[in-house]
Amino acid sequence: MHVKTYIAKLVDLVELEREAEIEAMREEMRRLKGYEREKVGRAILNLNGKVIGEEFGFKLVKYGRKEPFKTEIGVGDLIVISKGNPLASDLVGTVVEKGSRFIVVAVEAVPSWAFKNVRIDLYANDVTFRRQLENLKKLSESGIRALKLILGQEAPLKSFPEEFTPFDRNLNQSQKEAVSYALGSDDFFLIHGPFGTGKTRTLVELIIQEVKRGSKVLATAESNVAVDNLVERLWGKVKLVRLGHPSRVSVHLKESTLAFQVESHERYRRVRELRNKAERLAMMRDQYKKPTPQMRRGLTNKQILKLAERGRGTRGVPAKDVRQMAQWITLNEQIQKLYKFAEKIESEIIREIIEDVDVVLSTNSSSALEFIKDVEFDVVIIDEASQATIPSVLIPIAKAKRFILAGDHKQLPPTILSEEAKELSETLFEKLISLYPSKARMLEVQYRMNQLLMEFPSREFYKGRIKADESVKDITLADLKVREPFFGEPWDSILKREEPLVFVDTSDRTDKWERQRKGSTSRENPLEALLVKEIVERLLRIGIKKNWIGVITPYDDQVDLIRSLIEDEDIEIHTVDGYQGREKEVIILSFVRSNKNHELGFLTDLRRLNVSITRAKRKLIAIGDSETLKEHDTYKRFIEFVKRYGRSIRLRNMEIH
């Protein structure tokens, strides 16, 4: 396929996905009543607000109410504020902070209606798609070269290991090797980082080494959280600046942001003075008559000023109105000049900061920002590359001569809503690693979990190459000084402190079946939800802290059902997709599927299984119906593995409340 044809195809796919995402959001707003949308965590009703300050040119409005709310809306999310019909409002803001009874939003301006009895809804973020499309339509040489590589129209250059003295003395051999080959690559390189193998740590070393060699580095990731992780570890080691909306950045990392560095610059005082002067003049200007079309009756600004000079009126415009409009025009011109001058100084400050730093960090999408449009980068380093679509990673790739991608194509790909755009879920990382395996190195030591928890995914997905570091090899709940379980069987076997891997098998039970809600494509399993609740309650009673526990299930409706049984905000209950990149001491996993046809649905995407079983550090309790699961070879092997090395517990028909 020709590159131009492929780019046109990508443009179509992005358009389809953009429409699907906006439509899904609008459809949900249409279909669900306000209180139903609040129940699923994507709206908050009955809020009152007040302005609590200003930051980086945005008004900060704190919205709150007496009753606490549970919501999926989080810091950095785009929201729409309305009087009850979100589809009729165009007041959009960004969440800066949230508590159990309040949420703080940054907005450019706040109309007077937006303070009393409003609702806030999670909103689809269109900006990201617009940036992807703009970049595709004028793709740079570097971007085109990346596409030629996956289309087989250009061969990659050989990577050679380059010697370096590690800044981080604790890097293991596979991490050092990955850095060494990345440094010795003139076009691109791939760092394959499975669960817990210290991918971010390796990237930090690579960035420091690149800076030492005099490179100007652009470092990006798909999510703000991953960018923050890099900023946090690089802070104080290299000169850096973080792009993006300041409210989407962790509070203690504010100092790294461009906005903060601009406002702390010695010349910014002048910008403030100019803007304050402009605001004072604007208040004076607004006391005069504004020359609206009906007021000026076809007169130009020049004509109005001339007439005022002679103290005359014209064609139904009395002399006093002409005088008023002339005053307005004169002041307005001064105001515009002041703002322009302030903007010019601000642009110079920004250019100075960006020229002065070694590393610019941002999300893939924010690397499209105007500030770095003409900056020449020597290398772009992209984290989470296996969770970003090709149009997304092409934004940063287009800005540098070389690129390094880090990710793990054996975990979940980007989520694509549009059936017609499903092709977008195949990432650049995945395509390149299958075409050019010699251009990749895998990190082989994991620092997250007990070796028994690691063993099955290592064999199944990584050819048995992953080893557990000594520091985590034998960790169990017993190290956390929790009490022995004292509940009788089967609970004591399930919760045994020294046992990292447990499968709770529901296949003998008559109430094991999954079900589907009316009108839903998702699934839920009441028995498994009750078991999760019972297990969580008992874990808490033996001294496990709430924030050590994570509950994972592949299905939205099961998340909803479990949340209705465990009404504790501190226990995180999410779908698998929401847990990627995270870890907990104990994970409880509900597989949900249990049916007479032994159908597994989207559980057959094994990347979902890989993510689910690699989040736990000390204990994994998986709950499922072995009869249904065993229809699939991988799940069958998993169940056999647990029987052999962990503990498999068949639940009889005992009472479960």
Side-chain angles (χ1 to χ4, degrees), residues 288-406:
Y288 298 102
K289 278 198 170 137
K290 187 177 180 180
T292 57
Q294 59 263 51
M295 281 292 296
R296 61 164 78 221
R297 304 271 172 100
L299 293 171
T300 65
N301 283 1
K302 230 184 200 153
Q303 289 168 325
I304 291 171
L305 292 169
K306 256 206 179 114
L307 285 167
E309 225 174 277
R310 298 194 214 125
R312 292 177 46 195
T314 182
R315 302 180 296 207
V317 187
K320 70 173 197 326
D321 284 356
V322 169
R323 206 168 44 248
Q324 287 259 344
M325 290 195 289
Q327 293 275 37
W328 195 98
I329 290 164
T330 310
L331 285 167
N332 195 52
E333 280 172 359
Q334 288 176 19
I335 291 163
Q336 297 315 319
K337 269 187 194 143
L338 289 167
Y339 276 130
K340 258 207 176 91
F341 192 32
E343 215 162 277
K344 183 173 172 283
I345 299 173
E346 194 168 43
S347 296
E348 286 166 9
I349 294 172
I350 288 171
R351 204 165 33 248
E352 202 179 300
I353 290 168
I354 285 170
E355 267 171 28
D356 187 44
V357 298
D358 306 311
V359 188
V360 174
L361 295 107
S362 79
T363 57
N364 295 334
S365 170
S366 291
S367 66
L369 288 166
E370 199 61 29
F371 313 128
I372 56 169
K373 194 167 140 251
D374 302 316
V375 181
E376 286 256 319
F377 290 100
D378 299 295
V379 61
V380 58
I381 295 170
I382 305 177
D383 195 4
E384 298 184 319
S386 48
Q387 282 166 262
T389 64
I390 291 175
S392 173
V393 293
L394 280 177
I395 300 176
I397 285 174
K399 298 193 173 309
K401 303 182 185 81
R402 306 160 42 223
F403 66 89
I404 312 292
L405 303 182

Side-chain angles (χ1 to χ4, degrees), residues 296-518:
R296 61 164 78 221
R297 304 271 172 100
L299 293 171
T300 65
N301 283 1
K302 230 184 200 153
Q303 289 168 325
I304 291 171
L305 292 169
K306 256 206 179 114
L307 285 167
E309 225 174 277
R310 298 194 214 125
R312 292 177 46 195
T314 182
R315 302 180 296 207
V317 187
K320 70 173 197 326
D321 284 356
V322 169
R323 206 168 44 248
Q324 287 259 344
M325 290 195 289
Q327 293 275 37
W328 195 98
I329 290 164
T330 310
L331 285 167
N332 195 52
E333 280 172 359
Q334 288 176 19
I335 291 163
Q336 297 315 319
K337 269 187 194 143
L338 289 167
Y339 276 130
K340 258 207 176 91
F341 192 32
E343 215 162 277
K344 183 173 172 283
I345 299 173
E346 194 168 43
S347 296
E348 286 166 9
I349 294 172
I350 288 171
R351 204 165 33 248
E352 202 179 300
I353 290 168
I354 285 170
E355 267 171 28
D356 187 44
V357 298
D358 306 311
V359 188
V360 174
L361 295 107
S362 79
T363 57
N364 295 334
S365 170
S366 291
S367 66
L369 288 166
E370 199 61 29
F371 313 128
I372 56 169
K373 194 167 140 251
D374 302 316
V375 181
E376 286 256 319
F377 290 100
D378 299 295
V379 61
V380 58
I381 295 170
I382 305 177
D383 195 4
E384 298 184 319
S386 48
Q387 282 166 262
T389 64
I390 291 175
S392 173
V393 293
L394 280 177
I395 300 176
I397 285 174
K399 298 193 173 309
K401 303 182 185 81
R402 306 160 42 223
F403 66 89
I404 312 292
L405 303 182
D408 180 13
H409 55 300
K410 302 289 185 187
Q411 294 187 50
L412 284 171
T415 308
I416 303 299
L417 291 184
S418 163
E419 271 307 315
E420 297 156 275
K422 275 284 179 262
E423 214 178 305
L424 281 176
S425 68
E426 199 180 344
T427 61
L428 188 71
F429 185 93
E430 193 175 350
K431 283 179 185 281
L432 288 172
I433 205 165
S434 66
L435 286 168
Y436 312 112
S438 67
K439 295 281 284 180
R441 282 293 175 278
M442 186 167 104
L443 308 180
E444 295 182 349
V445 182
Q446 67 82 18
Y447 298 86
R448 175 180 293 166
M449 55 177 67
N450 177 293
Q451 65 179 352
L452 183 61
L453 297 177
M454 173 212 79
E455 191 57 45
F456 179 78
S458 172
R459 287 184 194 181
E460 197 66 31
F461 304 110
Y462 304 98
K463 301 183 175 147
R465 282 171 59 192
I466 300 177
K467 301 165 209 55
D469 185 68
E470 284 299 320
S471 61
V472 294
K473 217 169 99 187
D474 302 315
I475 58 171
T476 64
L477 289 183
D479 318 326
L480 300 178
K481 308 282 184 280
V482 299
R483 291 186 290 281
E484 275 280 7
F486 50 87
F487 309 103
E489 291 304 335
W491 306 113
D492 292 357
S493 293
I494 294 170
L495 302 173
K496 191 171 161 57
R497 298 175 305 179
E498 298 76 14
E499 184 57 78
L501 184 57
V502 177
F503 179 67
V504 178
D505 189 352
T506 62
S507 58
D508 291 341
R509 306 224 7 144
T510 52
D511 55 353
K512 66 180 181 177
W513 310 109
E514 65 186 70
R515 66 182 185 199
Q516 218 167 340
R517 296 180 188 182
K518 200 175 163 202

Side-chain angles (χ1 to χ4, degrees), residues 609-622:
L609 174 68
N610 185 22
V611 172
S612 308
I613 62 179
T614 54
R615 302 304 100 199
K617 291 159 77 171
R618 297 168 193 271
K619 192 172 183 78
L620 170 68
I621 302 170

Side-chain angles (χ1 to χ4, degrees), residues 12 36 65 77 139 158 179 270 286 314 363 472 637:
D12 289 344
E36 293 175 313
R65 68 179 196 199
D77 280 337
L139 199 57
K158 195 168 163 40
V179 172
R270 184 80 183 110
D286 294 343
T314 182
T363 57
V472 294
R637 284 195 290 276

Side-chain angles (χ1 to χ4, degrees), residues 200 204 207 219 224-238 240-243 249 252-257 359-362:
T200 309
V204 166
I207 292 167
N224 279 294
V225 173
V227 180
D228 282 351
N229 274 339
L230 285 170
V231 172
E232 200 150 351
R233 294 180 190 211
L234 286 165
W235 189 244
K237 296 174 186 145
V238 291
L240 63 86
V241 67
R242 158 81 150 99
L243 304 185
V249 175
H252 61 294
L253 296 175
K254 283 259 197 283
E255 283 173 51
S256 66
T257 62
V359 188
V360 174
L361 295 107
S362 79

